[in-house]
Amino acid sequence: DAKTTQPNSMESNEEEPVHLPCNHSTISGTDYIHWYRQLPSQGPEYVIHGLTSNVNNRMASLAIAEDRKSSTLILHRATLRDAAVYYCILRDNQGGKLIFGQGTELSVKP
Amino acid sequence: DSGVTQTPKHLITATGQRVTLRCSPRSGDLSVYWYQQSLDQGLQFLIQYYNGEERAKGNILERFSAQQFPDLHSELNLSSLELGDSALYFCASSVAPRGTYNEQFFGPGTRLTVL
């Protein structure tokens, strides 16, 4: 499974945008980029995923570099509830399991 | 609430014992996954079932086993427990075993403490 690299931690102010980076230089052509997050004392939850084009949903946006070697999860207006560990995961379309890395711990200041 | 339920929430037991963790997937989901989260190893995939059949295996110890029943609930059996087995165990479910839209929904976890 291809690896991803994320900063260990990031800080944000409430109501400001947050850009969470992820490097995946060994990504293969069939790998999708998935983001999950884990709020304190909860199980992980799905955030967003994409292949090549940028993606938007109600939770976040995913910006994917043209060479697909990196991506950025964008939270448009951080709230205190967005404080969590964010995981960037590569997954082949044929695979089901998720391989979690260390993730980025996001803290949000009021 | 993801729709995935796990019981019990907490489990405290002694070394050498055997425990069973239970998971009920979301209604309509056929695939179940088990993950272990510990402080030193992070979140690790253990095993996946799809419609009663084992689909994929990860870093699951031989002392651990799992199964998925005809009603689609799953059980993870941990035996000859060691201190290092203390962890959070998450169950997740998805509609399909793989594929683009195979979003996984996680339960709240079972916290196992081995004394």
Side-chain angles (χ1 to χ4, degrees), chain B residues 23-44:
Chain B
C23 167
S24 293
R26 283 190 331 153
S27 176
D29 284 358
L30 298 178
S31 198
V32 168
Y33 311 77
W34 286 97
Y35 294 86
Q36 179 194 57
Q37 186 170 34
S38 60
L39 280 174
D40 52 345
Q41 297 288 330
L43 261 164
Q44 288 205 309

Side-chain angles (χ1 to χ4, degrees), chain B residues 19-84:
Chain B
V19 297
T20 298
L21 312 184
R22 183 189 167 104
C23 167
S24 293
R26 283 190 331 153
S27 176
D29 284 358
L30 298 178
S31 198
V32 168
Y33 311 77
W34 286 97
Y35 294 86
Q36 179 194 57
Q37 186 170 34
S38 60
L39 280 174
D40 52 345
Q41 297 288 330
L43 261 164
Q44 288 205 309
F45 167 73
L46 295 178
I47 197 164
Q48 175 194 5
Y49 280 82
Y50 175 68
N51 207 19
E53 300 289 327
E54 183 183 301
R55 183 81 183 193
K57 236 174 178 172
N59 300 324
I60 187 165
L61 299 171
E62 280 191 20
R63 301 184 284 109
F64 295 2
S65 65
Q67 53 183 324
Q68 185 179 26
F69 295 87
D71 68 352
L72 301 176
H73 91 271
S74 178
E75 292 181 356
L76 179 67
N77 300 297
L78 316 176
S79 61
S80 303
L81 284 168
E82 302 174 0
L83 295 177

Side-chain angles (χ1 to χ4, degrees), chain A:
Chain A
D1 299 294
K3 273 199 74 167
T4 63
T5 305
Q6 301 177 251
N8 287 335
S9 62
M10 288 185 64
E11 259 188 14
S12 169
N13 293 318
E14 200 176 9
E15 298 190 8
E16 289 186 358
V18 182
H19 290 235
L20 297 163
C22 180
N23 286 320
H24 28 78
S25 58
T26 59
I27 190 170
S28 76
T30 55
D31 282 338
Y32 281 74
I33 302 157
H34 292 254
W35 284 81
Y36 279 73
R37 72 179 185 179
Q38 187 174 18
L39 302 170
S41 303
Q42 294 188 29
E45 66 175 346
Y46 168 82
V47 177
I48 199 166
H49 78 279
L51 181 63
T52 56
S53 309
N54 294 344
V55 185
N56 300 297
N57 67 20
R58 62 174 179 81
M59 286 181 74
S61 296
L62 177 60
I64 301 172
E66 208 167 316
D67 63 5
R68 301 211 323 127
K69 292 185 187 300
S70 66
S71 61
T72 302
L73 179 71
I74 302 164
L75 307 178
H76 295 286
R77 281 178 78 241
T79 68
L80 297 178
R81 202 199 166 271
D82 291 321
V85 179
Y86 286 79
Y87 297 96
C88 170
I89 300 166
L90 301 183
R91 201 182 73 190
D92 187 284
N93 197 31
Q94 300 305 310
K97 63 186 179 187
L98 295 170
I99 305 298
F100 290 85
Q102 292 308 304
T104 296
E105 184 169 9
L106 175 68
S107 57
V108 180
K109 296 185 290 184

